[in-house]
Amino acid sequence: MNVVRFLKEWTLIISILSGIAGYFIYVSIPALDPTHEAVGKAIGIIQPLLIFTMLFLTFCRIDARDLRLCPWHGWILLIQCGLFAGIGCVLIAMPHSGLRVVLEGAMLCLICPTATAGAVITRKLGGDVNRITTYTILINLMTAVLIPAMVPFVHPNPDMNVFRSAMLIVCKVFPLLLLPLLAAMAMRRFLPAFTARISRFQDLSFYLWAFALALAIAVTVRSIMHAEIDLATELGLVAVSLASCLLQFWLGRRIGARYGDRITAGQSFGQKNTVLAIWMGYTFFTPVTAMTGGFYSIWHNLINSWQLYRHEHAHSEPQADSGSRIRSI
């Protein structure tokens, strides 16, 4: 039990270190050189499958009767999608901007949907699980629409026209973001007993996320090692990921506070499915852009760790005080 608790408490660090170490160990073994191309293709298949499975397991636990729409959903959705589209329009108007890579990284940080683990952190912080689950579904739907609509214009594919590029992105994004929801809804409708059994395996999503994060970090490290960009651009990606993270947590909490739901709104806006962000960057932009998702993963997990520490500390103090009073009596 102590080992399991240790692994869960330090999953972020373990996954990051495993991804970094795994990459360097793999590339340092000469005998594995012939496998690099095959492994790259395998990762291109495994990453979407992991994302699909995590979303599917999350949606299997959702009962449509528990979903709750509230006013801040609309405001945050409008801001998140508006900022993404606004930066996209800037890049379309200035296609040769020297800040292209950094701005594409900002777009990635903004449009990335809420993390599948968002409900877990929200529950621990005392937020509303049903409301963050509702927002997770909404932003997944909007991402599935906006990515194909904007990316072909922002980052055009030289080998095909805008329409064909958009259709290619649709074929990659829609199955990944929408099919898990549709499949989970169908399972709940026609196989409720089997769905209930699947829903009990909450730890499976956790371990899949840990593995997916380690794999995504390895891909990010590979991008950094092979990136032909200057240090200023790399630092720009670090800065824009941090700024995007702080902005979204702050805006979410500020808007949510107006409706008495500060914690849930902050987590909905700030906590991201960074495994998906890295995959989207690598697939639709460039491997360099994908680095932004890796950096964002570090920032939002640090913020969550700090929030959990403050929350637990705040709730443990009264108990400690009452304990001391009992002892003094």
Side-chain angles (χ1 to χ4, degrees), residues 220-232:
T220 303
V221 173
R222 181 185 181 278
S223 300
I224 294 173
M225 297 304 296
H226 292 270
E228 297 181 357
I229 58 173
D230 53 76
L231 180 61

Side-chain angles (χ1 to χ4, degrees), residues 62-138:
I62 295 173
D63 188 338
R65 293 170 296 184
D66 294 331
L67 299 180
R68 298 287 184 271
L69 283 170
C70 57
W72 64 256
H73 283 150
W75 285 112
I76 293 181
L77 203 64
L78 179 64
I79 294 171
Q80 187 169 356
C81 297
L83 288 173
F84 171 79
I87 296 175
C89 290
V90 170
L91 286 175
I92 293 170
M94 298 187 298
H96 304 295
S97 170
L99 294 175
R100 165 168 290 278
V101 174
V102 175
L103 291 176
E104 286 179 350
M107 291 179 67
L108 197 62
C109 292
L110 290 166
I111 198 57
C112 183
T114 305
T116 54
V120 177
I121 302 298
T122 300
R123 182 186 290 112
K124 289 184 176 181
L125 292 174
D128 191 311
V129 173
N130 293 327
R131 287 180 177 177
I132 191 173
T133 302
T134 304
Y135 189 80
T136 301
I137 294 174
L138 292 173

Side-chain angles (χ1 to χ4, degrees), residues 48-61:
L49 285 176
L50 287 170
I51 295 168
F52 179 96
T53 305
M54 288 187 293
L55 287 173
F56 174 71
L57 291 173
T58 299
F59 293 145
C60 276
R61 294 195 293 269

Side-chain angles (χ1 to χ4, degrees), residues 48 52 55 144 168-181:
F52 179 96
L55 287 173
L168 178 64
I169 295 173
V170 165
C171 292
K172 290 184 177 182
V173 171
F174 269 55
L176 194 63
L177 295 182
L178 299 187
L179 280 186
L181 175 61

